[in-house]
Amino acid sequence: AQTVTQSQPEMSVQEAETVTLSCTYDTSESNYYLFWYKQPPSRQMILVIRQEAYKQQNATENRFSVNFQKAAKSFSLKISDSQLGDTAMYFCAFMIGRMRFGAGTRLTVKP
Amino acid sequence: DAMVIQNPRYQVTQFGKPVTLSCSQTLNHNVMYWYQQKSSQAPKLLFHYYDKDFNNEADTPDNFQSRRPNTSFCFLDIRSPGLGDAAMYLCATSRTTGLVTDTQYFGPGTRLTVL
């Protein structure tokens, strides 16, 4: 089965600090895409960062970076210098033919 | 800006009264998806169109249908909404070439209320 597991249903972080959201997945495929999506209370799903499985270099987008460990099937998201606007539900997902989402982690950034 | 647009943003219908949700895109993507998302849950794929080819998920109820008259538009029809169909409905698009499917881009969603 191809599954995505986010083991942290809820997390909180102080503004300006760093937080890491964990994600593991299971697949026997070797080529796929991995994603982190953010869904604020307004509910629009927004792409945060994307990683291609065949690339060893970890993707980075401004304050967002990933730690991709292909052998361990781990894909964590690090948010540096957290801002109040980062408060949202974060979904880890991977795509092989169809998108498979984790259950989500609700992140609250506290002032 | 290229985008995925969903109308209406909020829809209220009565139990059993058919309802149609719409999605349009200016990204010229060949794949369009419909997801159902209930509160605090991950989106659940209902079906998708790969160009004109309709692909239904095995567990999508027959009550849900879809139409894609052209590349830009896709509709979700709920023939007889039940209380359990109250949810956020998300439309997404992606570009697929051969076996490779790229990033999905989501619309803002339509929140459906069933009275």
Side-chain angles (χ1 to χ4, degrees):
Chain A
Q2 295 174 330
T3 59
V4 182
T5 301
Q6 293 179 249
S7 58
Q8 305 148 316
E10 293 189 17
M11 294 188 72
S12 63
V13 63
Q14 291 295 130
E15 195 175 8
E17 293 188 348
T18 295
V19 64
T20 298
L21 309 183
S22 65
C23 173
T24 58
Y25 59 94
D26 185 26
T27 182
S28 58
E29 300 290 333
S30 59
N31 195 20
Y32 44 89
Y33 293 94
L34 292 156
F35 305 89
W36 279 97
Y37 281 92
K38 166 186 176 180
Q39 192 174 39
S42 66
R43 301 298 292 271
Q44 177 146 16
M45 192 86 78
I46 302 165
L47 177 68
V48 174
I49 200 163
R50 171 181 179 270
Q51 174 84 42
E52 293 157 15
Y54 65 87
K55 290 187 176 178
Q56 293 186 344
Q57 186 173 4
N58 289 323
T60 299
E61 288 288 343
N62 300 314
R63 298 183 294 107
F64 299 88
S65 62
V66 297
N67 183 4
F68 174 45
Q69 302 289 329
K70 190 172 184 179
K73 297 179 183 175
S74 170
F75 183 61
S76 60
L77 174 70
K78 185 171 83 171
I79 306 174
S80 304
D81 185 26
S82 297
Q83 300 176 1
L84 296 178
D86 295 334
T87 292
M89 182 76 91
Y90 286 81
F91 290 99
C92 176
F94 80 94
M95 176 174 283
I96 303 174
R98 60 190 289 271
M99 190 79 83
R100 289 157 174 82
F101 288 93
T105 295
R106 186 178 301 280
L107 176 68
T108 302
V109 180
K110 298 180 178 179
Chain B
D1 288 342
M3 58 174 54
V4 182
I5 302 161
Q6 290 188 245
N7 287 306
R9 295 291 308 276
Y10 300 90
Q11 177 73 57
V12 180
T13 191
Q14 291 182 331
F15 183 94
K17 185 175 180 180
V19 66
T20 295
L21 311 182
S22 72
C23 177
S24 63
Q25 53 131 341
T26 60
L27 297 163
N28 202 31
H29 284 169
N30 58 341
V31 188
M32 295 186 76
Y33 308 81
W34 279 105
Y35 289 89
Q36 180 192 65
Q37 187 181 29
K38 296 193 175 180
S39 184
S40 300
Q41 296 183 18
K44 177 182 181 296
L45 182 64
L46 295 173
F47 27 58
H48 73 277
Y49 273 94
Y50 186 144
D51 293 321
K52 295 182 179 179
D53 293 333
F54 178 70
N55 297 272
N56 199 27
E57 293 298 300
D59 57 353
T60 297
D62 292 340
N63 197 26
F64 292 86
Q65 303 287 322
S66 186
R67 296 170 284 136
R68 190 180 185 186
N70 53 53
T71 300
S72 301
F73 285 87
C74 195
F75 300 98
L76 169 63
D77 300 309
I78 309 177
R79 292 191 297 185
S80 181
L83 298 179
D85 297 328
M88 178 72 84
Y89 290 87
L90 301 173
C91 175
T93 72
S94 69
R95 178 178 301 283
T96 296
T97 54
L99 296 176
V100 179
T101 299
D102 209 331
T103 307
Q104 289 188 18
Y105 294 92
F106 287 81
T110 295
R111 180 176 294 280
L112 178 68
T113 300
V114 181
L115 301 178

